[in-house]
Amino acid sequence: MRVFSVILANLCLVIAVLGFGSLLRPLFPSTSLRIERLALALLGGIGTCGTLFFVVGQLWFSRPAIILILLPGVLYGIWVLLPRIRSLHSNSRLTVQPIIPVLIVMVVLLITAIGGFAEPVGDIKMDAIAYHFLGPKVWLRQGLIRPVLDESLTSFPAIVETQFAALMALGGPRAPELFAILALTAMLLLAAGLARRMGLDAAGAWWVAALISTMPALYRGAFGGFNDVIYSGLVLAAARVVFDAETPGHHALFGLFCGFAMGTKYTGVLATAILFICAFLIAIANQRRQIMPTVKHLAVAGLIAVAVASPWYVRNWMLMGCPMYPPPPVLPRFFHVRYFPPEAVKEFHRQMLLEGRGMGVDLLSLFLLPFHLTYHPANFMNGAGGIGIVPLALGPFGLFGCQCDRLAKGLGLFAMVQTIVWFVTMQEARYLIHVYVIAAIFGVCGWRHVVRVSRLVGPVLSGLVVATSVLYGLFMIGSARIDDVHAAVSRSFEEKRRSAEIPYVDSFSYLNNESSVTKVLILDPLVPPYYLDKNYVKPIGRRGEEVIPDATDLQQVLMDVPRLHASHVLDVRSAKATFRILDHPGNLTLVFERTDQRVYRVD
Amino acid sequence: MTLDRRSTDQTKAQQDALSFFRNLWPRIIDVWIGAVLVAFFLIRVLGSSVGQHLLNRFLPSHSG
C-alpha cells in the first residue's frame, strides 16, 4: 500500500508536469528532435509546476490546493499523452538499440527506483533532513509556504522542493525520494537529445546516457533531496534553446528556462548571466546574423527570466530582509538581514569559503582542475566517486568528432566560462553537473574520432576507458545506495536503520504519538525537527539563526514557554553539548526519558 | 628557376611535416588515453582503501 501511494503520487506529478510542459510546445525550436521536445516539456513542466505551487502557496498550501493545481496539468497531460501512446501501440516498427548502454541505463534507473521507496533517514548533517524535506513538511503543516526561521536554507528558491511537498501531500514522506527517477530521466533525455543534435547517432546518444548515469558526482545530485540534476537540466535546456535560437519565441523559451533555473538554485543567477554573455558572443561570432535583433531578443529574454524568478527573491526581500537569504558575501552591507545575527552570517560565509575551496583557488589548481576532478573528486564537496575518466581521456578529441556548429561552440564556451566561475566562487562538485554532461557528450564525440583515426590501439584503449568509467561508476553508485535498496525490500532492516540513523528516535516517536503534544520547544540547535509531526519552535537554528528575541538566554526562553504556546520541551545531550535543563524548573514535569533525551510537559 | 625550386622544396617540406603529424596524431592519442587509464588505476583503484587492503592481503610484508 505504501509503495502504491508513492508510485501514484509520482505518476500524477509526472503527467501534470508533462501537461504543463506541453503548453510550451509552440515555443520549442522546430529543428528539435522528438527526444529533445520530450526533455524540454518535462523540464519546462517542472519549472512551471514548481513556480505555480510557490505563488499559490503564499496564500494557500494544502492537499486540496495541490490537487487543484495539479488537476488541469494531469487532464491536459492525459489529453496530450493518449494519442501518442496509441500511435506507439499501432506502430509495429521496432528499432534496434545498442544493448550494452541500454542495460547500463536500466540498471541505474532500477537501483534508483527501488532505493526511492526507502524512508528518508539521517541526522541534521544530511541536507535532505536539514532542509530539503523539512521545508515541504512544515509548509504542508502550516498551510503556507514560508521560510522555516530556524533553518535559513528553507528560504532558498525551491522549484523542486515545492514538488517534494506535493509528493508528500499525495504519497507520504517516502514519495519525494522517488522523484529522482523523474530528475534522472529528464536529464538523460536532454543529454541524449543534445548528443544527437551534435552529430552523434542513436548508439552514441545511448552511450552518452550510460556515461552520465554512471557518474557518481552527477548521480549524487539526483537523489536524497538534492535538486542539482533538475537545476543543471534547466540550465542545459536554456543553453540548448539559445545557441540555436532564431525567433523571438525561442528567446522567450530561453528566458523561461533561465527564470526556472534561478527559481531552483541561487547559482542559477550566475549561470544565467554566463548564458546571456555566451549567447551574445556566439551571435557576434556568427557572421550571418545581425546583432541588433539578437540584442533585442536577449533583452526580452532577460526580462522574462527576471519576471519568472522574481517571486522567490521578492518574497525573501519582504520577509527576510534580503533577496538572497542567507545572504552571500557583500549583500549584508546593503540589506538588513532578519533572524540571522551578523556573527552567524560571518560564520556562514567562513563555512562556505572552507567548503568551496576544493583543491585550491590558485592558477595552478585551475590548470590542474581536469586532473583533480578525475583523480581526486572526493576533495570537492559531494564529489566522491567523481565523473569517470571519459571526459579527461576522450573529451579533448571531441571537437574533432562532433558536428562543430554554433551549438557545439556555444556549449564549449559556456562550459569553459561556467567552470572558471565555479572555480572562483564555490567548488562544490554538484554545482558543475551541466558541465559534466557537456564533457560526456564531447567524450563520446572524441571516442568516435579516436576509433576513426587510430585504427588498432586507440579503439581498444578507448573501449577500456569507457568500460572502466562505467564499471567504477556503477560500483560507487551501488555502494552509495545499497542501504536504501536493502531498506526498501526488508522491513526488519528498515526498522534497524531507523533506530540507528534517526537521532533521538524514541523521543520523536513519543512526541508524535502522544495526543497531548501540540507544540514542542526544541532546545538543541542540532536536533533535526524533520522527524517531528507536530508544530515546534526552535529558538536557535543550526547555523545560529535566532527565531525569537533573547533566543540565546535559556532562562528567558524557559520563562517564555507559555507565551510560545509550547506544550512540551525536548532536551537532549549531544556530542557537543550536555542537557540544557539541569535544575528542573517548577513549570516543567519530566514525562519521558531515554539515553541522552528527555521530554518535559509544560504545566 | 631557383625561386621555383625553393618554393617546391618548401611545399614538399610542408607536406612532409603534415604527413609526419598525421602519422604522429594517432600515436599521441594512444599515449594520452593510455596515460589517463594507467593513472586512474594507480590512483583511484590501487590507491583506494579497498585497493590498499587487497594489496596488503596478497602482498604480505617480509619484515622480520
Side-chain angles (χ1 to χ4, degrees), chain A residues 152-169:
Chain A
S152 52
L153 306 194
T154 52
S155 45
F156 279 174
I159 275 184
V160 174
E161 284 79 356
T162 50
Q163 281 162 96
F164 288 164
L167 289 171
M168 272 182 197

Side-chain angles (χ1 to χ4, degrees), chain A residues 33 105 110 141 215 357 399 438 467 489 537 574:
Chain A
L33 303 165
V105 171
L110 189 68
R141 201 157 55 214
M215 283 180 173
R357 273 187 59 83
L399 280 176
I438 296 171
V489 295
V537 58
S574 64

Side-chain angles (χ1 to χ4, degrees), chain A residues 375 389 392-393 449 454 458 472, chain B residues 25 30 32-33 36 39-40 44:
Chain A
Y375 298 123
I389 49 176
L392 183 64
H449 176 71
S454 171
Y472 186 78
Chain B
W25 179 237
D30 294 346
W32 172 259
I33 299 174
V36 170
F40 183 80
R44 301 287 300 146

Side-chain angles (χ1 to χ4, degrees), chain A residues 52-363:
Chain A
L52 268 177
F53 280 138
F54 179 75
V55 173
V56 177
Q58 296 310 299
L59 302 170
W60 183 34
F61 198 66
S62 59
R63 191 186 289 182
I66 288 165
I67 291 172
L68 273 179
I69 294 169
L70 285 179
L71 198 62
V74 170
L75 293 176
Y76 188 62
I78 291 172
W79 190 70
V80 170
L81 276 176
L82 269 183
R84 275 148 213 255
I85 292 171
R86 267 194 221 118
S87 73
L88 269 182
H89 191 68
S90 60
N91 191 355
S92 57
R93 192 163 50 94
L94 282 173
T95 50
V96 180
Q97 304 294 349
I99 186 84
I100 298 173
V102 173
L103 272 178
I104 294 164
V105 171
M106 292 304 153
V107 166
V108 175
L109 288 178
L110 189 68
I111 291 173
T112 312
I114 300 174
F117 293 110
E119 186 188 16
V121 291
D123 60 16
I124 206 158
K125 285 183 205 136
M126 306 264 301
D127 284 1
I129 301 302
Y131 68 100
H132 288 297
F133 293 161
L134 172 71
K137 190 168 178 177
V138 174
W139 302 335
L140 285 172
R141 201 157 55 214
Q142 294 179 342
L144 278 178
I145 296 183
R146 290 283 183 274
V148 180
L149 296 182
D150 59 85
E151 182 51 67
S152 52
L153 306 194
T154 52
S155 45
F156 279 174
I159 275 184
V160 174
E161 284 79 356
T162 50
Q163 281 162 96
F164 288 164
L167 289 171
M168 272 182 197
L170 300 177
R174 291 162 200 269
E177 289 279 21
L178 200 60
F179 184 81
I181 286 283
L182 175 60
L184 267 182
T185 307
M187 177 56 99
L188 295 181
L189 287 171
L190 184 69
L194 275 172
R196 294 299 306 271
R197 171 63 188 76
M198 282 172 68
L200 287 172
D201 55 7
W206 270 109
W207 275 111
V208 167
L211 285 169
I212 286 170
S213 57
T214 51
M215 283 180 173
L218 182 145
Y219 186 80
R220 188 67 202 91
F223 76 99
F226 283 124
N227 53 20
D228 303 83
V229 163
I230 292 291
Y231 160 72
S232 294
L234 291 165
V235 172
L236 276 177
R240 162 68 184 91
V241 174
V242 77
F243 293 129
D244 259 356
E246 298 284 351
T247 66
H250 299 159
H251 285 91
L253 187 64
F254 164 62
L256 268 177
F257 277 121
C258 286
F260 293 150
M262 290 193 283
T264 306
K265 267 185 120 63
Y266 286 139
T267 42
V269 176
L270 285 175
T272 297
I274 298 167
L275 275 174
F276 271 84
I277 293 168
C278 292
F280 179 69
L281 292 176
I282 291 291
I284 289 177
N286 189 12
Q287 300 291 329
R288 285 172 300 166
R289 298 170 75 189
Q290 290 182 327
I291 298 301
M292 271 325 282
T294 308
V295 171
K296 271 186 204 162
H297 293 159
L298 284 177
V300 174
L303 287 176
I304 292 172
V306 170
V308 168
S310 61
W312 309 94
Y313 296 83
V314 172
R315 188 276 313 258
N316 278 353
W317 196 354
M318 286 166 67
L319 296 181
M320 314 303 281
C322 186
M324 287 186 174
Y325 190 92
V330 181
L331 283 193
R333 283 190 214 158
F334 304 102
F335 297 95
H336 173 67
V337 180
R338 288 176 208 142
Y339 312 111
F340 219 151
E343 312 82 61
V345 172
K346 270 187 198 151
E347 176 58 24
F348 176 66
H349 292 162
R350 199 189 63 79
Q351 197 70 27
M352 265 174 65
L353 279 175
L354 198 71
E355 289 174 358
R357 273 187 59 83
M359 290 186 73
V361 286
D362 53 311
L363 205 59

